[in-house]
Amino acid sequence: MPSFHLPPHRIVLLLIGLVIIGLMAINMRWDWIPAYRADILAGLRLTLVLLVTTSVAGFLLAVPLGLAQAAGPRPLAWLARGYCTLIRGTPLLLQLWLLYYGLGSLFPYLPGLRDSWLWPYLSEPWLYAFLALTLSFAGYEGEIMRGAFARVPKGELEAARSLGMHPLTTLRRIWLPRAVRRVLPTLNGELIIQLKATPLVATIAAVDMYAVFGRIRQETYIVYEPLLLMALLYLVLAGLITLAFHAVESRRSH
Amino acid sequence: MSSAPSKRGSGVTPVIEVNDVHKSFGQDEVLKGVSIMAYRGEVIALIGSSGSGKSTMLRCINLLETPTRGTLRLLDQEIVFPQHGAQRQPIDRKKLRRLRARLAMVFQNFNLWPHMTLEANIMEAPIQVLRKSRAEARDEAQAWLSRVGLYAHRHAYPDTLSGGQQQRGAIARALAMSPEVLLFDEPTSALDPELVGEVLEVIRNLADEGRTMIIVTHEMKFAAEVADRVIFLNQGVIEAEGYPEAVFGATTSDRLRQFMGSAYPLNGEQQ
């Protein structure tokens, strides 16, 4: 049981904190919030959607990337390792721009593509945002999964093999769950890093939370207040991610 | 030459026939032509110093290791090595897996799966490999756990159990496959001395049931007591083989005498 007794220095700190928040509420300008509420929520939604979809898709790619490096045939292992090195060794911003300005500018030259049903999607910035963030997450998690797969004791896999288990069953029932459980604490941090990488998509005109607050600042000429609110929102999201992971980890400590 | 009759062994054809098996790791030849026959109901103890190839031999029988050359006849399935020679008939993987399940193995380090409860560990292979229903697998798992005295611990995770309990759980996991042969790879070597007894007790009971077993062990006293036949491996070849009394009393092999005397002073004369 955590104690709720507060020592004096904590009470002082708490009071100082409350005073600062009070001063901020009174002395700073927050009157712009109602006007931009819908925009902020829309931006928050895109940020969340990007975070969730890219980390899920990225992780799904990371599993084969890690497996190929840990146990794959040599050419495949090299290919996966090369991919992870490339992704981890170059700025995400660069990857994003290469996809958006590079790939995106090549598409119009493909015959017939402009008239196809795909075209509206191909000109959407969020598609490139999704691609770049997914590929990046896959690169980082692929490296982490490599280590996790490699660290599952060989004997546990041998036990499965010696009982006649199919290799894919062994992967699904033993190897993967053991590896994933090992990376859960790391994954928590990685998701928060991924969250904080999403503002980069504002540079290719995707309107995420960061882009919305940027626009607010330009339109209202208010310098600090939007930044503070944005910081608070990112902080809350990061906190929620950590809480979710703690819940998962304490539920199954094995 | 290795078909010495034994106390419990019965039947005309051996359950397992290892014929002139060689195994190399790189330049290092660990098995230099080993032949073993195991008859139904027979308990064979494989002894020898570390590096003698006894564990490798056992792992070849479960096909965890692939012999470099030689022939294995495992439960009527003949496999000739190397598999990819000109006129060989490669055994298909599905058959191989089915075969493995009937030659269940117990490891030195237990190798229970830490993310599953003891009961789930035992249910896993019967469900995934033998395609049993969950209910049936659970009933059987509980019966096997009772057999090894772990019913009360069925919902425990392996890392909360002692080494002896984990090894008994691993034996239950092997038994749940209804194997025709049980292979033990130094089942007590990773255990604290006071936990060895409970595991040996379980193995002894299985021997008394008439199960076919091959046990790689350092427990000479146990081998002498339980085994119908003892095989002494030294540097990849069989140095001595026969009834426990004969092998342990043997004076024919210098190496065996040295081995018995140095590592395991059990012989009366050694005191």
Side-chain angles (χ1 to χ4, degrees):
Chain A
M1 269 303 279
S3 161
F4 289 103
H5 172 73
L6 284 174
H9 67 279
R10 291 229 174 135
I11 296 180
V12 172
L13 283 175
L14 212 64
L15 285 177
I16 292 176
L18 283 174
V19 167
I20 290 177
I21 290 174
L23 284 176
M24 280 167 64
I26 297 164
N27 291 340
M28 296 181 115
R29 286 192 51 194
W30 303 103
D31 55 324
W32 47 271
I33 293 180
Y36 287 101
R37 222 187 67 173
D39 291 333
I40 294 173
L41 285 177
L44 179 69
R45 212 186 61 192
L46 182 62
T47 292
L48 270 178
V49 166
L50 276 178
L51 173 69
V52 172
T53 55
T54 62
S55 42
V56 168
F59 191 76
L60 289 179
L61 285 175
V63 170
L65 278 171
L67 199 61
Q69 290 180 79
R74 202 163 290 177
L76 222 56
W78 280 343
L79 213 63
R81 161 152 275 162
Y83 174 80
C84 288
T85 308
L86 186 72
I87 291 292
R88 286 164 16 114
T90 56
L92 173 55
L93 186 59
L94 175 71
Q95 297 159 16
L96 186 65
W97 284 12
L98 273 177
L99 281 175
Y100 185 63
Y101 297 110
L103 204 59
S105 65
L106 284 180
F107 282 146
Y109 295 105
L110 290 178
L113 200 59
R114 249 179 201 285
D115 308 315
S116 79
W117 60 271
L118 266 171
W119 184 247
Y121 297 101
L122 288 177
S123 48
E124 285 283 351
W126 58 255
L127 176 75
Y128 300 92
F130 169 80
L131 271 180
L133 284 170
T134 298
L135 293 178
S136 160
F137 197 70
Y140 282 93
E141 291 348 282
E143 179 63 24
I144 288 170
M145 285 310 289
R146 177 197 62 77
F149 277 123
R151 279 199 304 275
V152 173
K154 288 277 162 293
E156 287 173 30
L157 307 177
E158 262 183 2
R161 207 146 69 91
S162 79
L163 294 169
M165 220 180 264
H166 190 281
L168 281 178
T169 313
T170 308
L171 176 66
R172 183 170 56 84
R173 298 290 305 172
I174 316 288
W175 210 1
L176 186 60
R178 288 279 285 131
V180 167
R181 246 156 264 226
R182 273 164 185 266
V183 300
L184 273 186
T186 320
L187 218 52
N188 183 1
E190 292 289 312
L191 268 182
I192 289 174
I193 292 174
Q194 182 76 351
L195 167 69
K196 293 184 298 183
T198 53
L200 290 179
V201 307
T203 64
I204 57 166
V207 189
D208 75 325
M209 194 157 75
Y210 180 85
V212 168
F213 279 102
R215 217 187 68 217
I216 294 173
R217 294 176 71 218
Q218 280 171 3
E219 289 177 6
T220 60
Y221 300 108
I222 300 171
V223 182
Y224 294 113
E225 287 85 343
L227 289 180
L228 287 174
L229 182 60
M230 177 164 62
L232 180 73
L233 287 175
Y234 276 112
L235 209 58
V236 168
L237 289 182
L240 287 177
I241 293 172
T242 302
L243 278 180
F245 268 88
H246 282 320
V248 172
E249 277 175 59
S250 65
R251 203 159 52 86
R252 29 173 93 225
S253 53
H254 287 274
Chain B
M1 67 171 211
S2 56
S3 54
S6 52
K7 285 184 283 189
R8 261 186 293 246
S10 62
V12 199
T13 48
V15 187
I16 287 176
E17 193 178 334
V18 176
N19 213 328
D20 193 30
V21 160
H22 295 250
K23 172 69 184 174
S24 303
F25 295 101
Q27 294 293 310
D28 190 17
E29 194 172 35
V30 178
L31 296 176
K32 299 165 184 160
V34 175
S35 302
I36 296 173
M37 290 204 194
Y39 293 87
R40 194 166 295 287
E42 200 178 23
V43 179
I44 294 178
L46 259 178
I47 61 169
S49 49
S50 28
S52 60
K54 56 194 191 310
S55 281
T56 306
M57 185 63 251
L58 197 74
R59 291 166 59 83
C60 281
I61 294 175
N62 184 271
L63 299 168
L64 281 177
E65 303 286 358
T66 312
T68 315
R69 64 195 165 87
T71 310
L72 292 177
R73 245 207 33 233
L74 311 168
L75 314 168
D76 300 326
Q77 176 75 50
E78 188 170 67
I79 315 169
V80 182
F81 298 93
Q83 277 277 289
H84 302 294
Q87 71 279 36
R88 308 284 190 224
Q89 282 276 311
I91 178 172
D92 90 286
R93 287 168 183 279
K94 201 169 170 185
K95 240 180 198 164
L96 193 119
R97 286 197 296 274
R98 210 173 304 147
L99 198 57
R100 273 208 187 104
R102 294 159 69 196
L103 304 164
M105 184 131 167
V106 175
F107 298 86
Q108 182 175 353
N109 295 314
F110 333 130
N111 293 335
L112 289 173
W113 300 305
H115 60 300
M116 300 178 182
T117 63
L118 196 52
E119 186 179 85
N121 260 278
I122 291 157
M123 292 164 61
E124 187 65 21
I127 291 174
Q128 300 291 346
V129 179
L130 305 179
R131 303 275 163 218
K132 292 193 174 171
S133 71
R134 289 196 71 81
E136 190 186 359
R138 174 169 288 120
D139 286 348
E140 290 181 8
Q142 292 181 355
W144 287 119
L145 282 171
S146 308
R147 267 294 306 276
V148 299
L150 286 174
Y151 182 78
H153 295 284
R154 65 191 183 282
H155 297 310
Y157 284 90
D159 57 7
T160 64
L161 300 171
S162 76
Q165 289 170 327
Q166 288 190 50
Q167 192 58 299
R168 285 187 280 147
I171 293 173
R173 178 174 67 179
L175 287 170
M177 298 301 284
S178 322
E180 277 150 87
V181 179
L182 277 169
L183 307 170
F184 291 87
D185 188 6
E186 304 196 26
T188 58
S189 295
L191 296 176
D192 291 335
E194 73 269 22
L195 302 175
V196 168
E198 59 187 76
V199 171
L200 292 185
E201 185 58 36
V202 169
I203 301 176
R204 186 178 292 121
N205 288 338
L206 293 171
D208 291 343
E209 265 177 23
R211 285 182 181 272
T212 315
M213 309 202 282
I214 301 179
I215 309 173
V216 169
T217 185
H218 283 300
E219 300 283 336
M220 293 303 133
K221 226 176 110 196
F222 175 72
E225 204 182 299
V226 169
D228 301 303
R229 195 143 49 88
V230 174
I231 295 173
F232 174 60
L233 241 99
N234 186 55
Q235 293 182 353
V237 292
I238 293 180
E239 187 88 16
E241 174 178 10
Y243 293 134
E245 312 86 66
V247 171
F248 289 122
T251 48
T252 47
S253 162
D254 287 345
R255 292 233 179 70
L256 178 57
R257 239 180 311 142
Q258 212 178 343
F259 172 69
M260 297 298 300
S262 61
Y264 307 96
L266 285 171
N267 285 3
E269 59 201 79
Q270 238 76 38
Q271 253 96 52

